[in-house]
Amino acid sequence: MYVCSCFGITDKQVKEHAAAGACTPRQIASATKAGTDCGSCVRTIQGLLGRGACPRRELLEKGEITAVLAADEGLAEAA
């Protein structure tokens, strides 16, 4: 199912980026541009991300910034 019709982003792509560490709509937007044009998909993206644990946030809280930066590079490569 298409989540973002402006950029042709599917729910599968959002879930893949979430599995790679993106846990906010802004991080999904950075990786895919979804939510950066008309914005109508942002609530759908929020729903797909849910309110579960965020591996990225947990790493930051532990002070493991290198792991976060590596995850950010992985997101950029996946896009």
Side-chain angles (χ1 to χ4, degrees), residues 3-21:
V3 171
C4 175
S5 54
C6 296
F7 294 104
I9 305 302
T10 65
D11 58 334
K12 181 180 177 188
Q13 289 172 294
V14 171
K15 290 175 185 176
E16 287 172 354
H17 286 290

Side-chain angles (χ1 to χ4, degrees), residues 55-57 59-60 64-73:
R56 186 175 193 272
R57 190 175 303 121
L59 289 172
L60 283 172
E64 298 179 26
I65 190 73
T66 8
V68 173
L69 294 174
D72 287 347
E73 288 176 16

Side-chain angles (χ1 to χ4, degrees), residues 13-38:
Q13 289 172 294
V14 171
K15 290 175 185 176
E16 287 172 354
H17 286 290
C23 44
T24 67
R26 184 171 289 181
Q27 291 169 341
I28 295 294
S30 293
T32 66
K33 295 187 181 180
T36 61
D37 195 25
C38 77

